[in-house]
Amino acid sequence: MLSFVSFVSFVLAGILAASASASEGELALRAIDPCAAIAGQKWVSPRDVRACFTSFKVDPDIKANIIEVVNKTLAFHTSVNYQKLAPEPFTADVHEDLLFDLARISHQSYPSDFDLHIDMSRTLKRLNDGHCVYINDCYDSVFLTFLPVPLVLLTDARGAQDVHIAPEAFTVASAEFADELDVWQNALPGSLKGKLSSLSGAKVLLINGADPFVAVNANALITGSFQGFGTRQNSFFSSYNRASTGWNYIMGNFAQMSLPLADSATLTIQRINATRPETITLPYRSRKNAATSWTDSASFRANNCVATASTNGVDAYADTAKRADNPSAPALISPAAAKFEQQPPISLVDRRRHALNVILDSTPLQDVVLPPVLTPQGEVPGGNGVAQFFLLDDGKTGVLALGSFSANSFDGLERAMLTGLVNLKAAGASQLIVDVSNNGGGFICLAHIAGPKKTTVPQAGLDTTTRAGPLAQLIVKTIIADPTGVDPADFLLYNPLNWAFPNKTGGLTFFGPTDDWLEPLQRKVINGRQDAFAPRMADICQPFDMEPPAEQLFDPKKTVIVSNGRCASSCSLFSITMAKEEGAKTVVLGGKKGVQQQYCGTVGGQSTDFSTIDTEVKTTHLKNNTLAPPDFKTNSVQGITWRLGFGIQDPSQPEEWQDHPADVNLALTADIVNNPKAIWTTIANTLL
């Protein structure tokens, strides 16, 4: 737990007084039950949340269950042996031996169940892989912990970089935290009391007495999600994203945490137009994020910590009550992982029909609003939710702001992307900027929006493979032995009818219902460990549901892909093919000088989670096999990369750990930071 100790060592204690109106009985209960003390309250101190969380001792049976489920689910994760020591350029970033650490955790003692969770969570996060994460809804994001001063990294006219409180910080905080703002106003010292707004734009000289990048780099070691160190540094800072309902403001890891691990931050700052530094200490405050309620420790555990109907998988054909209108159709259940997917909610039908590649995060998507003064105006018709279109003032630069490759309707997003691009072209756009900032992925087949040409026919995606362990082989053999009896709706991931392979003539060959598509096994030794994979597989996206344009609408060489590096999963598939195959330029916003910026990360090929794998196991009636993971007893999620894409420049190796250096690292200045339209205009003027 060294990382936990070092992280907490530089924070101070927060204080929360019991409500003066509480009855003596309630006060007595709160005094002896730390979960009762935070029950029914919207805002509390992180210390009081921790008191609740750490009050639960480790249950040996629960601990063993978590480790067994995770261990056996990892047999389906394609990257586990690669991640023991990733190839260059990510050798220094990804070197986590999960099997060793899970064995360590199983023998290690912990003062509380919460401390066990922190170790489990951070062990998986050390993979720096947003697909393979462990989340426990008992703790993760039950409360979100905030500061009202999101940070940005700005470059001045001389080219010097400094950390600043975001210029828009007070505008964001006063809109999002209006009911708690007085706490922070009153926490300011002396003449600064009540003047929180004066902190916006201030240069940050020290964080907790050290250079700001000490905190930035410490966060980069524990935040996970992306291989690139520069991308993980960038996660410390605020940014933006086009969401399904508007433009969202991303607070950054400094100003928003999924666990209540810090009580305050001490900043030495120099405010705008000030002549001397000032030191302030602001308390973190934890806001209830869970939809559940509780009154005491027992009801907290019962309502937040126990497996729910969506935690584990199902026998897809066993529950006829859910399928009264069509007894042969499989049951459709939204997995627990859906809450933590970095994409808008999607329909159960689309989840079944269309393969996904999307990262998970212990913080569900939030709806903090980008201030109106920073929100782009003047959309070109045709947009829909996460996909919006703009024509810049030069009359020739079109913009597609694409916050996700998922929406509540696959067909609706596909139609919007096509219609909007056609409308941009008709409006006079001859060059294109695609802004995918904080795009966590989504539907794989929507990532292939380039027009038809030799690089997109017969398939626009990457060749992939999946791990072919003993249990995966048994699942396939069970399906092909009785295709119509086991999986009559061709629902299961391991059904051969759902896959094709690239043949020697350059086309695709589809598997038949009794083909063992995992054979012949592709045996490899990876970092000294034996492993086995399926032969190469292809994405089955074409023909598309909607006819694409007969010709490309925009020349890829006059196209720029822009983000803060946090472009993952299907977003990575899109960006990589556009950059490496089509010649599009790539731009990363901000980033520390001297640190290589990756324009994307966490590529994968297709992601999934334990509950989906568990459905494969239960539907093929293999749950009693000793290789099968048991049901989670806790309200937990385990994500995995189920298919891994092969590289474009080196097709013999996974694309996951090949280099994706940005062509341009765009310095952010005070006048363009977190201002999408100002950023696009700068790019159009300098790169197109």
Side-chain angles (χ1 to χ4, degrees):
M1 299 305 298
L2 291 179
S3 61
F4 173 65
V5 173
S6 61
F7 183 83
V8 177
S9 63
F10 61 82
V11 300
L12 302 175
I15 300 173
L16 178 68
S19 170
S21 62
S23 69
E24 290 185 5
E26 289 172 329
L27 289 175
L29 179 60
R30 291 179 181 184
I32 61 174
D33 186 335
C35 294
I38 61 174
Q41 299 192 59
K42 181 178 179 180
W43 289 96
V44 294
S45 76
R47 169 178 283 183
D48 286 346
V49 181
R50 284 200 309 279
C52 170
F53 287 0
T54 57
S55 67
F56 304 109
K57 299 302 180 184
V58 174
D59 182 325
D61 290 337
I62 294 295
K63 177 184 175 183
N65 171 259
I66 292 171
I67 293 172
E68 184 180 7
V69 174
V70 172
N71 243 327
K72 290 183 174 180
T73 303
L74 288 175
F76 298 86
H77 176 52
T78 54
S79 308
V80 66
N81 287 328
Y82 286 103
Q83 289 166 330
K84 183 182 176 186
L85 187 64
E88 291 293 350
F90 299 114
T91 304
D93 298 286
V94 181
H95 45 82
E96 169 59 34
D97 188 341
L98 272 184
L99 303 183
F100 174 86
D101 263 333
L102 288 173
R104 170 188 61 79
I105 291 170
S106 69
H107 292 98
Q108 185 167 325
S109 297
Y110 297 88
S112 73
D113 187 62
F114 182 52
D115 290 284
L116 166 63
H117 170 66
I118 292 171
D119 200 3
M120 279 291 299
S121 173
R122 291 196 174 166
T123 294
L124 273 293
K125 283 186 175 182
R126 283 196 294 273
L127 297 174
N128 295 322
D129 178 350
H131 294 150
C132 189
V133 299
Y134 171 75
I135 298 169
N136 190 338
D137 214 0
C138 181
Y139 304 115
D140 287 311
S141 297
V142 172
F143 283 84
L144 292 178
T145 298
F146 294 101
L147 277 179
V149 285
L151 303 182
V152 292
L153 181 63
L154 299 183
T155 301
D156 66 18
R158 298 175 291 107
Q161 283 189 315
D162 291 288
V163 174
H164 288 252
I165 295 174
E168 66 280 354
F170 185 74
T171 303
V172 172
S174 58
E176 182 66 21
F177 311 129
D179 56 346
E180 193 70 2
L181 209 59
D182 283 349
V183 172
W184 289 305
Q185 293 277 25
N186 293 327
L188 292 172
S191 62
L192 285 177
K193 188 172 184 178
K195 297 179 180 178
L196 190 63
S197 62
S198 71
L199 274 53
S200 295
K203 182 187 296 185
V204 178
L205 306 176
L206 300 172
I207 298 178
N208 295 319
D211 182 276
F213 265 86
V214 172
V216 172
N217 293 340
N219 176 74
L221 295 178
I222 62 173
T223 190
S225 295
F226 291 87
Q227 298 98 330
F229 184 68
T231 307
R232 286 179 280 121
Q233 284 182 319
N234 295 346
S235 71
F236 191 78
F237 302 107
S238 63
S239 53
Y240 63 86
N241 170 255
R242 175 64 213 187
S244 57
T245 57
W247 288 88
N248 281 359
Y249 189 85
I250 310 299
M251 296 289 289
N253 292 161
F254 173 73
Q256 176 181 301
M257 298 184 295
S258 64
L259 293 175
L261 297 182
D263 293 313
S264 66
T266 298
L267 306 179
T268 300
I269 62 173
Q270 186 161 355
R271 291 183 293 156
I272 294 175
N273 298 324
T275 57
R276 59 182 177 80
E278 298 163 295
T279 297
I280 62 171
T281 297
L282 286 172
Y284 278 96
R285 298 292 289 165
S286 296
R287 184 172 71 181
K288 183 174 178 287
N289 190 59
T292 57
S293 60
W294 62 90
T295 57
D296 54 17
S297 292
S299 58
F300 178 89
R301 294 291 288 184
N303 296 344
N304 293 284
C305 306
V306 179
T308 70
S310 62
T311 301
N312 301 299
V314 298
D315 180 341
Y317 297 99
D319 190 355
T320 55
K322 288 188 174 68
R323 301 172 287 107
D325 60 330
N326 186 358
S328 65
L332 300 179
I333 297 176
S334 182
K339 174 180 176 179
F340 299 96
E341 290 170 343
Q342 299 299 289
Q343 65 178 10
I346 62 174
S347 72
L348 292 178
V349 172
D350 279 343
R351 185 177 289 276
R352 179 198 166 202
R353 287 177 56 223
H354 302 289
L356 286 167
N357 199 33
V358 61
I359 60 169
L360 302 172
D361 195 277
S362 53
T363 301
L365 289 179
Q366 300 299 299
D367 58 358
V368 180
V369 176
L370 187 70
V373 69
L374 300 176
T375 300
Q377 303 297 323
E379 294 94 338
V380 171
N384 181 2
V386 296
Q388 296 295 325
F389 300 87
F390 302 85
L391 184 67
L392 298 187
D393 292 342
D394 62 10
K396 63 180 181 180
T397 304
V399 177
L400 164 56
L402 187 60
S404 175
F405 282 91
S406 285
N408 59 2
S409 166
F410 178 97
D411 292 341
L413 182 54
E414 183 181 32
R415 186 180 304 108
M417 291 165 70
L418 176 60
T419 302
L421 289 171
V422 169
N423 289 348
L424 272 183
K425 189 76 171 179
S430 58
Q431 53 195 27
L432 184 66
I433 295 171
V434 184
D435 192 333
V436 289
S437 295
N438 293 296
N439 184 316
F443 295 119
I444 294 170
C445 290
L446 289 183
H448 309 315
I449 62 174
K453 48 193 169 298
K454 65 179 182 179
T455 56
T456 63
V457 177
Q459 66 158 342
L462 305 179
D463 288 351
T464 60
T465 188
T466 191
R467 208 169 179 203
L471 184 55
Q473 294 177 52
L474 282 173
I475 293 172
V476 172
K477 292 183 187 302
T478 300
I479 294 170
I480 65 177
D482 183 14
T484 57
V486 175
D487 187 23
D490 309 331
F491 168 74
L492 297 177
L493 285 176
Y494 284 95
N495 192 315
L497 292 176
N498 292 323
W499 302 108
F501 63 91
N503 58 39
K504 294 180 179 179
T505 65
L508 301 181
T509 299
F510 288 81
F511 292 103
T514 59
D515 288 337
D516 190 338
W517 60 279
L518 296 184
E519 297 283 354
L521 297 180
Q522 310 298 297
R523 299 190 183 277
K524 299 182 180 182
V525 177
I526 304 170
N527 285 320
R529 287 181 178 156
Q530 297 283 341
D531 216 332
F533 296 85
R536 285 182 179 249
M537 306 156 63
D539 280 326
I540 306 175
C541 293
Q542 286 138 298
F544 293 109
D545 294 337
M546 299 175 189
E547 189 67 27
E551 299 180 359
Q552 289 180 204
L553 292 172
F554 293 94
D555 181 354
K557 292 181 172 55
K558 299 192 73 176
T559 299
V560 174
I561 312 296
V562 58
S563 76
N564 58 343
R566 293 179 62 82
C567 160
S569 308
S570 288
C571 184
S572 291
L573 297 177
F574 163 74
S575 298
I576 290 166
T577 53
M578 288 294 293
K580 292 188 175 183
E581 290 196 323
E582 309 298 341
K585 296 184 183 73
T586 56
V587 174
V588 167
L589 305 175
K592 184 173 174 60
K593 284 184 177 180
V595 176
Q596 178 62 63
Q597 301 298 315
Q598 301 284 320
Y599 62 81
C600 69
T602 307
V603 182
Q606 181 177 347
S607 61
T608 190
D609 68 295
F610 158 71
S611 67
T612 301
I613 294 296
D614 194 38
T615 291
E616 302 279 314
V617 171
K618 288 175 176 174
T619 305
T620 51
H621 303 150
L622 292 169
K623 188 67 173 179
N624 291 329
N625 190 287
T626 56
L627 298 173
D631 281 2
F632 265 128
K633 296 179 180 179
T634 54
N635 192 4
S636 297
V637 169
Q638 176 61 51
I640 61 169
T641 298
W642 186 69
R643 281 195 293 145
L644 193 61
F646 287 101
I648 291 175
Q649 294 173 345
D650 181 1
S652 68
Q653 297 297 323
E655 183 67 51
E656 187 75 74
W657 299 285
Q658 297 188 33
D659 207 6
H660 310 113
D663 296 316
V664 175
N665 177 14
L666 182 68
L668 292 174
T669 56
D671 57 331
I672 70 170
V673 66
N674 292 332
N675 186 329
K677 200 160 189 177
I679 287 169
W680 304 334
T681 300
T682 301
I683 292 171
N685 291 340
T686 57
L687 297 177
L688 286 173

